Amino acid sequence: GTYFEATEEVVLPEMAERLFTLKPRELSGPFRTRSGWHIMKVLQLNKPGRVPYEKVREELRQNLMVEAREERIAELVKGARNVMEIEVFRTPEDSSNTEGSKKEQAGGVNGAAS
């Protein structure tokens, strides 16, 4: 993933120890954490302080829209499960599923009302 502005509070401790020793445009070597393999590059260093709302407004808007959409989908799936059998078929592109396209019971709709 990409961290546009990373602080020690938002990254794993084992990532922070590498990230905050890199110079701008320097690439880390590959390393493994409990969440997988990583390679990091610092694009630039920012001065500590508050980020103006105007600078992050669009990113905040996008994050809130994604969150609202995910909550609405979860509500719809929960309601649909009350009246039909739900099966999820994940694609290999689904990075949240490490099992590839394995059939699972969660989210998505493929079924008929009972």
Side-chain angles (χ1 to χ4, degrees):
T2 301
Y3 294 100
F4 292 100
E5 296 200 13
T7 63
E8 290 186 42
E9 294 81 28
V10 298
V11 297
L12 296 170
E14 55 265 37
M15 292 177 79
E17 68 186 38
R18 288 176 174 82
L19 179 61
F20 296 109
T21 62
L22 294 172
K23 296 180 177 81
R25 294 175 296 286
E26 185 178 5
L27 193 64
S28 75
F31 64 97
R32 189 173 189 161
T33 68
R34 63 181 173 252
S35 63
W37 285 93
H38 310 276
I39 297 175
M40 295 187 295
K41 181 178 184 179
V42 172
L43 302 176
Q44 71 181 36
L45 297 176
N46 299 324
K47 294 179 183 176
R50 295 181 184 211
V51 178
Y53 172 72
E54 293 77 28
K55 184 176 178 182
V56 296
R57 185 174 100 186
E58 183 59 24
E59 184 180 345
L60 289 172
R61 187 181 76 75
Q62 290 291 329
N63 289 344
L64 290 171
M65 286 176 53
V66 167
E67 187 177 301
R69 182 174 48 238
E70 289 173 353
E71 288 174 3
R72 181 64 180 139
I73 290 170
E75 290 171 10
L76 290 169
V77 170
K78 184 178 179 182
R81 283 190 170 141
N82 292 328
V83 295
M84 67 179 74
E85 182 179 328
I86 306 293
E87 295 177 2
V88 173
F89 298 89
R90 299 208 185 266
T91 65
E93 294 81 29
D94 185 357
S95 62
S96 67
N97 180 11
T98 58
E99 300 280 325
S101 59
K102 183 178 178 182
K103 181 174 139 180
E104 295 182 11
Q105 295 289 325
V109 175
N110 179 21
S114 35

